Every structure is written in structure tokens, then in C-alpha cells.
Amino acid sequence: MNSSSRKRKVLIVDLDVHQGDGTAFIFKDEPSVFTFSVHCGKNFPLRKQQSDLDISVEDGLEDEEYLFTVADHLPWLLESFRPDLVLYDAGIDPHWDDELGRLRLTDQGLYQRDLYVMKTVVSRGVPIATVIGGGYSRDIDKLALRHSIVHRAATRVWRECGM
Ligand SMILES: [Zn+2]
């Protein structure tokens, strides 16, 4: 089977603090799409959908443990599923200052997370597209700044990987 007739595979990496329940439900019977969600178990939605891989974390998780959790799964997922494209939901609501998040990530932690995800994917020659997600704060300037983190990380990956 050549590459044009082979069904392309997509890995969805959803790191918004809430479960990626929408994509989990939409693609539950679609083997060419693998849904991976890391979320806070006690957060909305109370009734979770079933992703292909759900990692439920406890309230109050901080940068280092969170990053270990992501790094524990992303490499082997890429090696075993071998996606043609990764879609990355870079939700900012795991931030400590988020009104709904319940986790304790810092700006630097979000930046390291985004950098790690993009570098890990791109270094394997797999394209990645990201979307901003989540983020609940009444301070719009803070929120906008936080949403710029993934763009800053993407710029660095783009420069360093010479794409
Ligand atoms: Zn969210």
C-alpha cells in the first residue's frame, strides 16, 4: 500500500486541564485517530468519555510532576501509533492562577510543556498543529499573555529545528 492510499493517522494530544471529552467521543470508533488526554480527574466533566489513553491527575500537581507525566507517555505513543500528524491542545488552564484549573503549573511550566511536546513530535519528523485552549481568569491581559506561551515555544522550536 503506498502512502497516498494508506489512511493517514492523527494523534490528538489534549493537555487542557479538562478531559478532551469531545474528541474522545467523536473519534471513539475511528482507529486512525488516537486521542490522548491528560486532565485533572476531579475537574469537569464529572462523567468522562473514554479516550484511547486517559491520564487522570490529582489536584495540586506542580510543574515537575506534570512534565514527568507527559514525558512518560508521549514518546512511546509516537513510537507505537506512528501518527502522520499531531494535533495539540495547549490548554492553559492547568495554571496555578486559573479559576477552574485545580492544578499548580507556572508560566514557565506551561512553556516547558509546550516546548517538550513540540520538540518531541517535530524531532521525529512528524508535523504538529496546535490550538490554544482553556484559560479562565477575569484578567484578560494575563490570559492573553498566557495564551502567547505556546506561540513563543513554537517559535523557538521552529528556529532550533531549522524548519
Ligand atoms: Zn479547560
Side-chain angles (χ1 to χ4, degrees):
M1 202 182 277
N2 65 34
S3 61
S4 58
S5 61
R6 186 176 69 82
K7 202 166 187 184
R8 301 278 173 91
K9 294 191 290 183
V10 178
L11 169 65
I12 298 178
V13 177
D14 191 317
L15 301 187
D16 188 279
V17 82
H18 304 98
Q19 192 204 25
D21 57 338
T23 49
F25 178 77
I26 292 166
F27 297 115
K28 64 181 176 180
D29 298 319
E30 178 50 73
S32 64
V33 178
F34 191 102
T35 52
F36 169 44
S37 174
V38 178
H39 49 265
C40 176
K42 291 210 181 96
N43 221 318
F44 180 89
L46 287 180
R47 190 175 302 157
K48 307 278 191 287
Q49 297 292 330
Q50 190 169 356
S51 310
D52 292 304
L53 179 61
D54 282 307
I55 303 297
S56 171
V57 302
E58 298 294 323
D59 287 18
L61 201 69
E62 297 185 351
D63 289 346
E64 198 178 359
E65 251 184 308
Y66 183 95
L67 292 170
F68 277 140
T69 305
V70 176
D72 241 9
H73 297 92
L74 187 60
W76 70 259
L77 267 180
L78 289 165
E79 299 299 332
S80 56
F81 183 66
R82 301 200 162 272
D84 298 290
L85 172 69
V86 172
L87 298 179
Y88 173 39
D89 181 344
I92 57 166
D93 46 12
H95 196 273
W96 66 269
D97 195 30
D98 193 88
E99 289 181 20
L100 303 179
R102 305 173 80 112
L103 301 188
R104 306 272 314 154
L105 269 68
T106 63
D107 286 347
Q108 191 59 26
L110 288 174
Y111 180 73
Q112 292 302 331
R113 175 196 71 171
D114 295 349
L115 204 55
Y116 172 77
V117 170
M118 288 186 277
K119 272 188 175 176
T120 305
V121 173
V122 167
S123 68
R124 285 166 170 77
V126 179
I128 182 168
T130 82
V131 293
I132 60 171
Y136 303 92
S137 168
R138 281 162 233 269
D139 187 330
I140 297 300
D141 290 339
K142 270 190 192 165
L143 212 52
L145 195 64
R146 236 169 265 160
H147 275 308
S148 76
I149 291 173
V150 70
H151 299 90
R152 292 161 199 259
T155 304
R156 184 163 150 198
V157 173
W158 180 69
R159 287 207 182 105
E160 287 182 3
C161 295
M163 295 155 68

